[in-house]
Amino acid sequence: YRAEFAPALQAALNDAEPAIRVQAASTVAKIEHHFLQRSMALEESLAQHPGDLGLVLDGARHQDALAAAGLLDDKRAGEAARTSLALHMRLIGQSPDPATRVEAIAASGRLLLRLGHVGHAFRLLHASILRDGAPAPALVGPYLESLFRLHRFVELREFCMRLRRQGGEVAWLSLHPDH
């Protein structure tokens, strides 16, 4: 399942044909059941091995995917996003791996934006963007969004010019992650 399928499933749930509605509901139930089983397994593993940062990362990614799936009501999606955010923030503070920390910062920034905490997202991402010469590609998209949503257009333009001076590849990769 990919979140891009959610609009089609939602449309099928509201289709005029009863057979299509039943099949769509069955599909949604199976997807939610899979997410629930995986959530319970990860929670149990984390309870048994609370210091295992690999399990924390798996749990954070899973909750992020659940929140972004497009199948949950707003309350449940928000709960999953907040759980993912807490796990990602734990990784930022505890992971010795720089790549894991960058992933956690980028995910936390996206989650904060989704939850409406734009200022917090900006501060988290801004500190990471300033740290090195060229920003990590995963940080660029959420950082640009935070600048835009805060109406910090001068900084947005300056950052884009900085990316352009650095070759533009970082920005292109962050906006086209499949390449």
Side-chain angles (χ1 to χ4, degrees):
Y1 174 77
R2 293 177 19 187
E4 293 85 13
F5 300 149
L9 280 173
Q10 294 295 341
L13 287 170
N14 296 315
D15 197 273
E17 180 64 40
I20 292 175
R21 287 195 310 269
V22 169
Q23 288 178 341
S26 175
T27 300
V28 169
K30 286 179 185 178
I31 294 167
E32 286 186 355
H33 180 71
H34 171 74
F35 272 117
L36 179 62
Q37 282 186 316
R38 180 80 175 126
S39 292
M40 291 186 324
L42 285 167
E43 285 176 19
E44 184 178 321
S45 295
L46 273 170
Q48 292 174 357
H49 309 283
D52 186 335
L53 296 180
L55 287 174
V56 173
L57 181 58
D58 289 346
R61 287 175 176 162
H62 177 73
Q63 291 296 318
D64 193 4
L66 178 59
L71 298 176
L72 301 178
D73 60 65
D74 290 343
K75 182 181 177 191
R76 288 175 48 211
E79 289 170 1
R82 285 186 289 280
T83 300
S84 178
L85 177 61
L87 293 171
H88 277 108
M89 295 300 282
R90 179 175 167 195
L91 287 166
I92 293 169
Q94 294 180 355
S95 179
D97 178 36
T100 299
R101 281 196 310 274
V102 166
E103 178 185 342
I105 291 167
S108 295
R110 280 186 297 96
L111 289 160
L112 286 165
L113 289 168
R114 188 181 311 154
L115 292 167
H117 303 293
V118 181
H120 293 307
F122 168 76
R123 286 187 291 282
L124 174 69
L125 295 161
H126 186 71
S128 298
I129 292 285
L130 291 180
R131 216 171 274 142
D132 301 316
L139 301 175
V140 173
Y143 183 64
L144 290 170
E145 182 178 346
S146 71
L147 288 170
F148 181 80
R149 289 177 58 185
L150 290 170
H151 304 280
R152 296 175 87 150
F153 301 121
V154 172
E155 292 171 72
L156 177 65
R157 183 178 185 280
E158 289 171 356
F159 183 67
C160 289
M161 292 182 69
R162 174 181 157 196
L163 291 175
R164 186 174 183 197
R165 283 191 303 273
Q166 292 172 338
E169 185 176 335
V170 170
W172 191 88
L173 287 172
S174 69
L175 298 174
H176 299 87
D178 295 335
H179 292 82

